[in-house]
Amino acid sequence: MVVKALDEEIPGRSKEAQRKFIQYKKDNPEKLMLLHFNGNARDPNFDFDALHAEDWTYFVGTYSADFVSKNDTRIFVENTDAFRKADDIAIVPVADNGELIWHHAEQAKLLQVHKDESIMVKRGVFSSDTRSYQKGKAYIAAHVSQPAAAPGSKQALWRYNFSNTSNKDGMPERLAKNLIRYLGEGGMLSLFDGVEFDVLADVRGLNHPSRKTSIDYNFDGIASQLDKIAQQQYREGVKRFLTLLRIGMGESKLILADGNESNQQREFSILNGIESETWPSHWDPNVEQWSSGINRHLFWKKRSFLPSLNYIKIGKLPNKNGPSTAPSANLRRLRVAGALFTDSVISPAHRVNGRGGDKWPELTGGTRDYKNWLGKPSSEISYYSSDGSAPVNYTFVKGEKNISYKGSDIHIRKSKNKALKFSLTFELDKVSDLSLKFTAIAKSNLIDRASFISITPNNSKSQKNMTWADELPFTGHFYFKDIAKGKNTLTFETDAIELILNGIKLVKGAKLIYREFEGGVVIANPSRKKQKIALDKERALTPYFDKKQSQIIVPAKDALFLRKRTY
């Protein structure tokens, strides 16, 4: 169970939730229970005093254009473009040398923005002290926030600023201390087995979709190159926070975070694993990025802090233009297969035709006595070429000075101030699916940090697939659909400073994936077309079919879940 048991998103939720979940854990100590906690933002009403004013992220603000008394609710400012109606804002005293005195900041709510360069505010919210300010001596900045999560609530969630790092006292230290108070020894949630951080980013951008004003990561009131430097400290702050949490909670507790996007977590040496919402990627409803999901989960399985635990939430699919929608049955089965191929836990999160997860045929085998109907895995992943396979000759595009080649190996070093990006070209005699395989070693300029490698066929963003890579060899598999006849390009991109790819193999033709279990087999077809398996060629699968069968057809983007036959 992954449960919301603190009030950082939904005020008032914890009282009943804690009582219910803690009692359940006492009654069922063998069951796993994780706290679900927003790692990006929180309702400031939750433990407001645990953090400082500069621990939040703000947009670049503006200055007072007139004297402001401690009772004024209308403030004239230099630039009202810095605000949007209903912003939460901070009013910060300005020292004579121009320095912002954040530890004396007051919090306020913006009520109106007027055309005469003035704003109406509610002062001194969250019990902060109001004060008077001389002209130009009040700096006023809007919080970077997201809409309220609680039904009926108007309080936005304020975004954390992990860039506020310090060796002894900073935002990561304060947030870790805040959570250890609940999850550590003697805490009210100490019976929980750990925590899963929702939307905890590796790094955040300099801009926000809500406005043109940039984000002030170093909270100095100015948009400058210093914000870019501070932005890069964001990931250092996240790592420090997770490190302190690991020390405070101990090695026996689990720490997970969202990991189904490249800007999400890659702290493999600290985290036990990831949650993937809407696997393989949050905005991939049609499972075009199948390879990304497989590579990502297999890498976490190999590299995460032990014991490793990764899970895939299989629920309704997000929609940028409307309500979430349930996946089709075939794509649900394909996602379940992906979980089974990578030893990931499945979290059924929607009802299919009114039926819960205990009625999904692929999870039950179609019977009431469904516990362990497939049993433990008895093999690793196997690949089958349904229509035969043929190697494809390729050529790396010349021009990059720091690329060297040797047979099917390639060694790339990053040029100064230049992204590590390169391409290979190849030709096909007809439209075909394509498989790519290589073993990667990547070096980063940060300690204990994996790098991403993404590959895009013919600039098709929907088929852009990725893998993680680090200084230990890792073999990634990439599958692309309906690649055009004639000349084609695969474009590689990575944030590594040095990359070695060994044993590159490019093969045309459709490929199915299967894995055997004690009581059955799971076969997946990520192709856009139905595929056939000739049983005389793939004899490992014959125990699952009638002896008279010569072939099996696997529908497009679907998976079969089959029991071992008994004769």
Side-chain angles (χ1 to χ4, degrees):
M1 297 175 69
V2 184
V3 299
K4 183 65 68 180
L6 290 176
D7 293 345
E8 93 285 358
E9 281 187 314
I10 306 176
R13 174 74 177 270
S14 65
K15 189 172 182 181
E16 177 186 358
Q18 287 175 13
R19 183 175 67 251
K20 180 169 58 178
F21 295 135
I22 290 171
Q23 187 59 51
Y24 181 85
K25 183 64 178 175
K26 287 179 179 177
D27 295 340
N28 302 275
E30 77 285 359
K31 298 291 186 180
L32 182 70
M33 186 175 289
L34 299 176
L35 171 69
H36 188 273
F37 193 88
N38 191 321
N40 176 59
R42 75 202 272 179
D43 186 317
N45 288 292
F46 173 69
D47 290 355
F48 180 79
D49 293 336
L51 300 177
H52 294 178
E54 64 270 33
D55 293 337
W56 310 105
T57 307
Y58 300 89
F59 293 104
V60 173
T62 186
Y63 290 83
S64 58
D66 204 346
F67 173 78
V68 181
S69 78
K70 65 184 301 181
N71 296 317
D72 282 344
T73 56
R74 185 168 190 166
I75 302 174
F76 285 87
V77 298
E78 293 179 355
N79 180 17
T80 55
D81 290 341
F83 305 110
R84 298 290 184 274
K85 188 177 177 180
D87 274 343
D88 288 334
I89 61 177
I91 305 176
V92 188
V94 183
D96 290 340
N97 64 0
E99 184 179 345
L100 304 182
I101 310 172
W102 282 94
H103 63 276
H104 283 161
E106 67 169 283
Q107 299 293 337
K109 285 189 174 292
L110 181 64
L111 303 178
Q112 285 182 311
V113 179
H114 294 295
K115 293 181 179 179
D116 62 356
E117 296 297 310
S118 69
I119 57 176
M120 294 293 295
V121 299
K122 181 180 179 181
R123 303 276 300 275
V125 299
F126 300 105
S127 300
S128 60
D129 294 328
T130 62
R131 62 185 73 237
S132 298
Y133 307 88
Q134 296 300 318
K135 179 181 178 181
K137 294 299 183 180
Y139 173 73
I140 308 165
H143 280 269
V144 179
S145 61
Q146 62 191 61
S153 173
K154 294 182 180 180
Q155 178 54 58
L157 306 184
W158 296 358
R159 184 193 285 183
Y160 298 123
N161 187 357
F162 285 96
S163 300
N164 181 17
T165 58
S166 169
N167 290 330
K168 295 181 179 179
D169 181 40
M171 180 268 171
E173 283 78 3
R174 285 187 281 276
L175 183 58
K177 183 179 179 180
N178 182 219
L179 278 176
I180 291 168
R181 172 186 157 202
Y182 293 98
L183 291 164
E185 186 176 353
M188 63 177 66
L189 301 182
S190 60
L191 286 178
F192 278 47
D193 297 292
V195 59
E196 196 282 325
F197 289 108
D198 187 39
V199 291
L200 177 61
D202 176 64
V203 69
R204 288 287 176 186
L206 283 164
N207 298 301
H208 192 274
S210 69
R211 66 198 73 198
K212 296 180 180 179
T213 310
S214 61
I215 294 173
D216 183 15
Y217 278 104
N218 69 336
F219 37 87
D220 64 353
I222 304 169
S224 69
Q225 289 293 333
L226 294 176
D227 289 311
K228 292 184 178 181
I229 296 172
Q231 180 203 21
Q232 296 308 308
Q233 292 174 337
Y234 193 100
R235 57 171 53 102
E236 297 174 23
V238 170
K239 181 169 185 173
R240 181 158 183 79
F241 161 65
L242 293 173
T243 299
L244 292 169
L245 195 65
R246 169 63 69 198
I247 294 170
M249 289 173 51
E251 295 187 1
S252 63
K253 296 282 188 178
L254 300 175
I255 307 176
L256 282 72
D258 283 6
N260 59 317
E261 303 294 338
S262 59
N263 73 319
Q264 291 176 339
Q265 274 315 297
R266 48 174 122 175
E267 294 298 342
F268 297 92
S269 63
I270 306 170
L271 296 171
N272 298 92
I274 56 169
E275 174 195 32
S276 279
E277 289 194 62
T278 57
W279 187 93
S281 177
H282 201 62
W283 302 109
D284 183 23
N286 297 315
V287 195
E288 290 291 271
Q289 295 162 14
W290 161 269
S291 303
S292 290
I294 297 293
N295 289 335
R296 194 158 44 233
H297 272 252
L298 286 178
F299 193 90
W300 272 100
K301 176 187 170 184
K302 289 178 178 290
R303 301 292 198 265
S304 63
F305 190 91
L306 298 176
S308 178
L309 172 68
N310 301 291
Y311 72 92
I312 294 173
K313 176 184 173 183
I314 302 179
K316 290 187 175 181
L317 306 174
N319 184 350
K320 293 181 179 179
N321 301 314
S324 299
T325 57
S328 60
N330 63 300
L331 292 179
R332 185 192 73 241
R333 289 189 290 265
L334 196 60
R335 290 182 168 93
V336 171
L340 293 174
F341 293 159
T342 58
D343 293 322
S344 301
V345 173
I346 299 165
S347 174
H350 77 111
R351 301 180 70 83
V352 178
N353 298 324
R355 301 181 300 178
D358 59 343
K359 299 294 192 298
W360 294 8
E362 61 271 25
L363 300 184
T364 67
T367 68
R368 291 185 178 182
D369 183 23
Y370 59 80
K371 288 187 177 181
N372 300 320
W373 79 272
L374 279 175
K376 296 178 181 179
S378 58
S379 76
E380 296 299 321
I381 298 172
S382 296
Y383 293 85
Y384 174 76
S385 299
S386 65
D387 53 0
S389 61
V392 177
N393 294 323
Y394 59 85
T395 303
F396 278 99
V397 177
K398 304 294 183 181
E400 175 60 63
K401 295 180 180 179
N402 295 326
I403 297 182
S404 60
Y405 312 92
K406 186 177 181 180
S408 61
D409 300 345
I410 180 170
H411 189 174
I412 312 109
R413 293 183 181 88
K414 186 174 182 179
S415 299
K416 185 178 180 181
N417 298 324
K418 189 176 181 182
L420 194 48
K421 196 171 183 178
F422 55 97
S423 301
L424 62 78
T425 60
F426 59 94
E427 290 194 21
L428 295 177
D429 57 0
K430 63 179 181 178
V431 175
S432 177
D433 286 6
L434 196 74
S435 298
L436 173 67
K437 174 185 175 183
F438 56 76
T439 298
I441 296 174
K443 295 182 181 180
S444 170
N445 57 1
L446 298 174
I447 299 173
D448 294 331
R449 183 168 179 79
S451 302
F452 75 82
I453 306 171
S454 67
I455 304 174
T456 307
N458 300 326
N459 296 317
S460 173
K461 292 183 179 179
S462 66
Q463 288 208 63
K464 181 179 181 179
N465 278 274
M466 64 85 69
T467 185
W468 295 118
D470 60 11
E471 295 191 2
L472 297 175
F474 179 77
T475 300
H477 291 259
F478 297 83
Y479 188 72
F480 306 106
K481 280 84 70 176
D482 294 337
I483 303 302
K485 177 182 177 181
K487 188 174 181 179
N488 293 275
T489 302
L490 291 180
T491 301
F492 294 66
E493 188 171 0
T494 180
D495 59 350
I497 60 172
E498 190 172 349
L499 188 65
I500 300 173
L501 304 183
N502 295 319
I504 301 171
K505 292 183 179 180
L506 193 63
V507 178
K508 67 177 181 179
K511 282 227 171 156
L512 287 80
I513 309 173
Y514 69 86
R515 191 180 191 188
E516 295 181 82
F517 295 80
E518 292 173 327
V521 68
V522 177
I523 309 171
N525 173 22
S527 170
R528 295 171 180 169
K529 303 179 181 66
K530 66 181 180 181
Q531 302 295 334
K532 299 176 182 178
I533 297 177
L535 296 179
D536 61 334
K537 293 182 179 179
E538 199 67 4
R539 296 190 178 278
L541 295 177
T542 55
Y544 307 100
F545 302 100
D546 188 286
K547 290 182 178 180
K548 296 180 180 180
Q549 279 185 268
S550 61
Q551 66 179 21
I552 180 76
I553 296 176
V554 187
K557 288 190 177 178
D558 207 339
L560 303 180
F561 300 77
L562 305 169
R563 290 183 185 274
K564 186 175 291 186
R565 298 182 67 87
T566 57
Y567 296 96

